[in-house]
Amino acid sequence: DKNLDYSYCLGVFPCLELMVARPERARRLLLAPEGEANEGVMKLKAACQERGVRWEYAPKALARLSRKENCYAAIVFDKYDDELSEDGPHVVLHHVSDGGNLGTVIRTCLGFGIQDLAIIRPAVDFFDPQVLRASMGAAFRVRLARYGSFEAYRNQFSGHALYPFMLDAAVPLEEAAATRRLPYALIFGNEGAGLPPEFAQVGQSVVIPHSGQIDSLNLSVAAALGIYAFAGRRCNYNRPSGQEVKIGRAHV
């Protein structure tokens, strides 16, 4: 329920991320008995005991919440809002409605060095368990602020250069990224409707060129391309020579 002041983080890895990034928000750890020998579960129990967070076995609650048989852990936690950076880049999501898309955008932001996310309501709940799981815990490492209107966000951050992404925009992505002004805000619209037409008059509108065989790109894909063009190419990512690199739970 988005109106409650708490939510649930599902899955061992996202829960571990919560206990690293936001341990003060954790209320209770729920565990499935069959996950007792899982290494991640043991780490979770130790982290919660260190922070004074109560844990209990709750297999029925986990099954109901996750709708999966192999969910070994969940953490009940308090929702929160952050203060966004005054001089860092922002991603602004206007009326985003799909939890999977939102979680993917959050993970993309963090992967390419953008740590500030503004959500313009109405929108899917940032703290929906589906969103948190899709982000693989990245949600707990970004700064979040929620606004009732785009005007409220704009009034607070009037110094940010605004780049709304639109199908009929004036400037292609590559040109906009090459001439970007700092600090900036990348603005993306709803999955179905996109941004309203009036956003064409907000800042410098940006289009991602693609073939005429599709009408548009998925929100999370468009956001990934935009974030990478503006920020990702400037990230300092040094892969250790001859060493294994862990990405999420996969090894590359």
Side-chain angles (χ1 to χ4, degrees):
D1 186 340
K2 66 171 59 179
N3 295 314
L4 295 176
D5 63 354
Y6 66 90
S7 187
Y8 300 85
C9 176
L10 303 175
V12 173
F13 185 80
C15 285
L16 284 169
E17 287 292 284
L18 187 156
M19 291 307 298
V20 170
R22 308 269 184 172
E24 73 283 357
R25 299 293 175 181
R27 288 190 183 184
R28 187 173 301 183
L29 171 64
L30 308 179
L31 296 174
E34 57 268 29
E36 179 69 28
N38 181 278
E39 182 181 356
V41 169
M42 291 188 283
K43 289 181 179 179
L44 269 177
K45 288 173 67 174
C48 286
Q49 288 172 344
E50 181 181 347
R51 302 287 301 200
V53 177
R54 176 180 166 185
W55 67 271
E56 63 184 69
Y57 291 119
K60 292 183 179 179
L62 284 174
R64 185 176 70 252
L65 289 165
S66 68
R67 301 185 180 92
K68 293 184 178 182
E69 295 181 359
N70 62 343
C71 181
Y72 293 155
I75 289 180
V76 187
F77 69 95
D78 293 317
K79 296 179 180 180
Y80 54 86
D81 279 281
D82 299 308
E83 293 291 331
L84 302 187
S85 169
E86 293 287 344
D87 55 5
H90 298 170
V91 165
V92 181
L93 299 178
H94 186 270
H95 299 180
V96 60
S97 60
D98 184 86
N101 276 336
L102 177 54
T104 302
V105 172
I106 293 166
R107 197 174 186 196
T108 302
C109 285
L110 196 63
F112 294 128
I114 295 182
Q115 294 184 292
D116 295 272
L117 179 68
I119 295 179
I120 312 301
R121 292 165 164 163
V124 63
D125 185 8
F126 179 91
F127 296 108
D128 187 295
Q130 179 190 2
V131 173
L132 302 176
R133 195 155 196 173
S135 81
M136 286 302 295
F140 300 115
R141 295 183 181 271
V142 299
R143 288 182 288 267
L144 162 72
R146 297 170 287 181
Y147 297 87
S149 67
F150 176 73
E151 289 70 26
Y153 167 80
R154 189 178 187 182
N155 290 338
Q156 183 175 351
F157 296 100
S158 58
H160 274 62
L162 304 176
Y163 294 92
F165 282 66
M166 307 182 73
L167 290 175
D168 55 353
V171 175
L173 174 59
E174 187 173 359
E175 179 182 340
T179 58
R180 64 177 189 155
R181 292 196 297 111
L182 299 175
Y184 59 81
L186 309 181
I187 309 167
F188 300 93
N190 172 270
E191 291 87 347
L195 289 172
E198 57 266 25
F199 274 80
Q201 309 305 317
V202 172
Q204 176 61 72
S205 59
V206 181
V207 63
I208 301 175
H210 56 72
S211 77
Q213 298 185 65
I214 59 171
D215 60 348
S216 63
L217 295 167
N218 174 273
L219 169 62
S220 59
V221 173
L225 290 171
I227 292 166
Y228 177 74
F230 272 74
R233 290 184 298 181
R234 298 164 178 85
C235 283
N236 294 319
Y237 175 65
N238 297 313
R239 178 171 178 161
S241 177
Q243 294 184 22
E244 179 182 66
V245 176
K246 294 183 179 181
I247 303 177
R249 291 174 293 180
H251 292 189
V252 178

